[in-house]
Amino acid sequence: MKNKLFEKYFVFSPYFWLVLFFFIPLAIIFKISISVSEWGMPPYQDIFLFDNGFKINTTFENYIYIFSDYYYIGSFVNSLFLALISTFFCLLIGFPLAFYIATSNVRLRNILLVLVVIPFWSSFLLRVYAWKIILQNNGILNVILLNLGITSEPLQLLYNQYAVIMGIVYTYLPLMILPLYGYLNKFDLNLIEASKDLGLNRFKTFFKVILPLSVPGIVAGSLLVFIPVVGEFIIPEMLGGSDRLYYGKILWEEFFVNRNWPGASALAFSGIIILVLPIVIFQILYSRWSQKNEI
Amino acid sequence: MKSSLFKSIVIFLGLFFLYFPILVLIFYSFNENKRVMVWKGFSLRWYNELFNNEQIIEAFIISIKIAALSATFATILGVMIGYSLVRIRKIPFKSFYIFLSSTPLVLPELILGLSMLLFFISLNNVIGFPSSRGQLTIFISHVTFCIAFVAIIIQARLTDFNKNIEEAAMDLGYNYTKVLYKITLPIILPSIIAGWLLAFTISLDDLVVASFTTGPGANTLPIVVFSKVRLGLSPEVNALSAILMFALIIIGLFYFYFNKKFKH
């Protein structure tokens, strides 16, 4: 009998915390996103009115407002595009690294793995700040380019979308390498030898043997990079310019600058529906599919 | 032979890419000049100024306090979730439980921060608490999103765990609670410590959620640093970076030590 009490304690303490401080806040975002906005504090009307009998006072105006304005839709598209490109470059750099680490001998492998992940432990904000120093007009990269004669005057490397991509690829790279390594580590290296023995050249070995077997790692790593990048706020704010607006920045300004709480909530909730939900569903379906096919 | 040279080059370039920016930051922290980018000579001037900067020191203390407290709470709750998911069969609305404990991992910080802020404001309207936002509200938010990270580590550890040891202890007359406190928890202790270290670092590093839930007297270190470098460069932040990077990397090494302990 005592065991039951103890189990309940274990299950329900975190349950209680997460319902109160995670689920209810999400519900509140939804509630405010369908509230009628007005001037005042708080800047929205209650959704239940009791003055002349009971009345439900909701609206979809905030969503219509967002989805009829290119300013908001454009920022969604920009963010998705940014996440796609950054994920691609993380994969491009991360795959060979993960592959060669996984094929090193055991001792070297562990050292390399720790070396790859350690930067991820140092402060995120400061690693982005480091790129601000490197990409300055009189920064180290421009000095190198000038000395090599590639350019005759300093290039404006900072405050544009390329600097943002650079910063993202740099900070998120370990998140791509880790799951890739996890899967590549599992597979039998003899397969590569076997495929070579059977007459496949390197190119074919890569596309017919190595790549198909690393699909689960590629999917896992890509999701780990893609999802947070879509909502990324700090990197575009530090390294980006006004050439592109992203979802994170728009949401931030809608709340803090425009003080449009229902609008910001509608943006946040649309973000959950458009960006997060499909990925969660995909992940569930994918894990079921890969279990079935025993990858 | 040719391919092993190519391999070494790839690994070298990869590591260079990862460490170069950190080294640049440390290098410039020793620059005497107030204008960060113009080298004037080696000096510890900015380290000195950093230690006399009350705003940064105060923010540092607040951040450490919040990080230590929220890591501790998140670890306790995260261990409970990890244990429940692996060992306890009857969890009411189990998929909802899994949803609650894993979604904070995939939700953009910005949405999490906004939802927490609106929650605290609404709560204040209903029950008059918390009357203002500050360290307490940051603490609650950090616990909420750190729980998931600890839960994953513990879940992975318990799935690997040899259940026979627990059953043997039961056969020898230990009751359920005693098995947990005398057998299970001590064995997974390295993972619990690893989880705590991860939660501590995440909390210490968080800017977005803290910016939403902060209030008077609760400027954490990332908030202060961000305000200093958002528009330009700051030699004091360079010095701070060098110290902080070093400290965090040490914490990272400890994390690896504890987390790897159970893997052969």
Side-chain angles (χ1 to χ4, degrees):
Chain A
M1 234 36 236
K2 213 181 154 199
N3 294 349
K4 288 272 180 264
L5 192 72
F6 148 89
E7 283 195 355
K8 281 205 172 102
Y9 176 68
F10 256 58
V11 172
F12 285 105
S13 319
Y15 222 149
F16 176 75
W17 182 286
L18 287 170
V19 168
L20 183 62
F21 294 123
F22 181 65
F23 188 70
I24 294 180
L26 287 184
I28 285 175
I29 281 201
F30 180 67
K31 184 203 128 191
I32 295 178
S33 77
I34 54 166
S35 304
V36 178
S37 54
E38 67 171 8
W39 289 104
M41 193 65 199
Y44 59 88
Q45 295 172 4
D46 263 330
I47 57 170
F48 303 120
L49 297 176
F50 296 99
D51 358 310
N52 286 326
F54 180 69
K55 197 183 141 207
I56 295 176
N57 180 27
T58 61
T59 174
F60 278 104
E61 207 124 292
N62 303 308
Y63 287 94
I64 296 167
Y65 170 68
I66 287 170
F67 286 103
S68 58
D69 193 337
Y70 185 74
Y71 179 72
Y72 298 103
I73 306 170
S75 76
F76 265 116
V77 175
N78 282 346
S79 278
L80 287 172
F81 189 64
L82 176 72
L84 209 63
I85 291 198
S86 311
T87 309
F88 173 75
F89 278 110
C90 278
L91 193 59
L92 205 65
I93 301 172
F95 193 90
L97 260 177
F99 181 75
Y100 285 133
I101 293 175
T103 52
S104 298
N105 66 52
V106 181
R107 265 183 66 199
L108 188 64
R109 197 192 297 171
N110 287 332
I111 296 170
L112 287 174
L113 196 64
V114 170
L115 279 175
V116 162
V117 184
I118 278 299
F120 197 69
W121 275 80
S122 62
S123 166
F124 180 84
L125 184 59
L126 295 176
R127 277 184 299 149
V128 179
Y129 173 65
W131 279 97
K132 206 165 179 167
I133 292 185
I134 294 171
L135 298 176
Q136 288 286 324
N137 276 352
N138 50 357
I140 196 150
L141 207 60
N142 260 321
V143 170
I144 293 170
L145 289 176
L146 281 171
N147 283 335
L148 288 176
I150 294 172
T151 167
S152 55
E153 51 190 283
L155 299 171
Q156 174 66 37
L157 300 169
L158 209 52
Y159 308 125
N160 55 46
Q161 47 171 321
Y162 307 108
V164 175
I165 295 172
M166 189 72 230
I168 289 175
V169 171
Y170 176 68
T171 42
Y172 285 91
L173 187 60
L175 277 182
M176 177 63 91
I177 294 178
L178 263 192
L180 271 178
Y181 168 83
Y183 281 93
L184 286 171
N185 194 21
K186 273 186 220 153
F187 93 52
D188 190 354
L189 288 176
N190 292 328
L191 282 173
I192 299 171
E193 292 302 316
S195 114
K196 279 183 185 158
D197 288 347
L198 290 169
L200 266 69
N201 61 24
R202 267 179 195 210
F203 191 70
K204 272 194 175 159
T205 303
F206 178 76
F207 281 101
K208 299 239 163 174
V209 180
I210 302 173
L211 201 60
L213 282 170
S214 35
V215 167
I218 293 176
V219 170
S222 300
L223 286 178
L224 278 182
V225 175
F226 189 89
I227 301 170
V229 169
V230 171
E232 184 58 53
F233 170 74
I234 300 170
I235 297 175
E237 194 66 15
M238 296 258 295
L239 306 176
S242 47
D243 57 340
R244 289 218 169 179
L245 283 169
Y246 298 105
Y247 171 69
K249 168 103 176 166
I250 299 279
L251 177 57
W252 180 280
E253 295 210 321
E254 198 66 24
F255 187 80
F256 285 112
V257 181
N258 300 347
R259 302 212 164 264
N260 179 4
W261 293 15
S265 302
L267 264 173
F269 203 76
S270 318
I272 298 173
I273 300 296
I274 297 175
L275 312 170
V276 182
L277 209 61
I279 286 166
V280 173
I281 292 170
F282 169 78
Q283 213 165 10
I284 293 168
L285 289 178
Y286 182 79
S287 69
R288 274 193 198 151
W289 176 82
S290 53
Q291 263 167 16
K292 223 186 255 169
N293 292 284
E294 283 172 15
I295 291 179
Chain B
M1 221 51 234
K2 211 177 108 192
S3 75
S4 101
L5 178 70
F6 181 69
K7 177 175 164 176
S8 309
I9 291 172
V10 167
I11 290 178
F12 173 78
L13 284 178
L15 291 178
F16 178 77
F17 177 61
L18 286 169
Y19 283 91
F20 177 67
I22 297 176
L23 295 177
V24 167
L25 208 54
I26 294 171
F27 174 76
Y28 277 109
S29 73
F30 295 113
N31 186 3
E32 157 86 48
N33 204 334
K34 193 172 173 59
R35 288 169 61 205
V36 173
M37 296 313 299
V38 184
W39 184 260
K40 207 172 143 191
F42 180 88
S43 139
L44 293 174
R45 174 184 166 194
W46 298 107
Y47 286 89
N48 196 19
E49 305 236 341
L50 176 71
F51 290 121
N52 291 316
N53 186 325
E54 273 174 32
Q55 191 197 12
I56 289 183
I57 299 292
E58 194 195 350
F60 180 73
I61 293 169
I62 290 174
S63 275
I64 293 279
K65 203 167 79 184
I66 293 177
L69 267 176
S70 47
T72 307
F73 265 72
T75 304
I76 295 170
L77 294 169
V79 168
M80 286 178 171
I81 291 181
Y83 187 85
S84 305
L85 285 175
V86 180
R87 287 283 191 272
I88 298 174
R89 246 177 249 137
K90 275 189 197 157
I91 300 176
F93 305 105
K94 191 169 179 180
S95 39
F96 183 58
Y97 196 64
I98 296 172
F99 166 82
L100 286 179
S101 59
S102 61
T103 320
L105 288 174
V106 293
L107 205 63
E109 293 166 303
L110 211 62
I111 296 176
L112 203 70
L114 180 70
S115 71
M116 294 306 283
L117 172 58
L118 291 173
F119 168 73
F120 289 129
I121 292 171
S122 307
L123 195 66
N124 184 30
N125 287 342
V126 177
I127 63 166
F129 173 88
S131 56
S132 78
R133 288 171 301 283
Q135 297 183 18
L136 178 71
T137 48
I138 299 179
F139 158 75
I140 291 174
S141 319
H142 281 184
V143 172
T144 306
F145 78 89
C146 286
I147 290 177
F149 291 91
V150 181
I152 291 191
I153 293 177
I154 300 299
Q155 206 184 335
R157 177 67 183 102
L158 281 173
T159 315
D160 263 23
F161 189 93
N162 191 349
K163 240 182 150 178
N164 293 338
I165 307 171
E166 287 176 338
E167 273 158 18
M170 290 261 211
D171 289 345
L172 291 170
Y174 272 26
N175 66 26
Y176 209 75
T177 340
K178 216 171 174 188
V179 169
L180 180 75
Y181 288 109
K182 297 257 171 177
I183 311 283
T184 315
L185 288 183
I187 291 178
I188 64 166
L189 188 65
S191 302
I192 296 177
I193 296 173
W196 190 91
L197 290 172
L198 184 61
F200 179 81
T201 319
I202 291 171
S203 166
L204 197 65
D205 204 25
D206 167 67
L207 168 66
V208 174
V209 176
S211 301
F212 274 100
T213 50
T214 189
N219 282 331
T220 62
L221 195 60
I223 293 177
V224 171
V225 168
F226 188 57
S227 71
K228 280 186 182 295
V229 299
R230 190 176 195 167
L231 297 171
L233 306 173
S234 151
E236 280 166 321
V237 169
N238 291 355
L240 176 73
S241 313
I243 297 173
L244 215 57
M245 294 256 175
F246 193 69
L248 286 168
I249 285 173
I250 301 278
I251 295 180
L253 287 174
F254 271 111
Y255 167 83
F256 276 106
Y257 174 72
F258 286 118
N259 203 26
K260 281 277 144 68
K261 233 183 160 181
F262 72 89
K263 292 173 190 161
H264 314 294

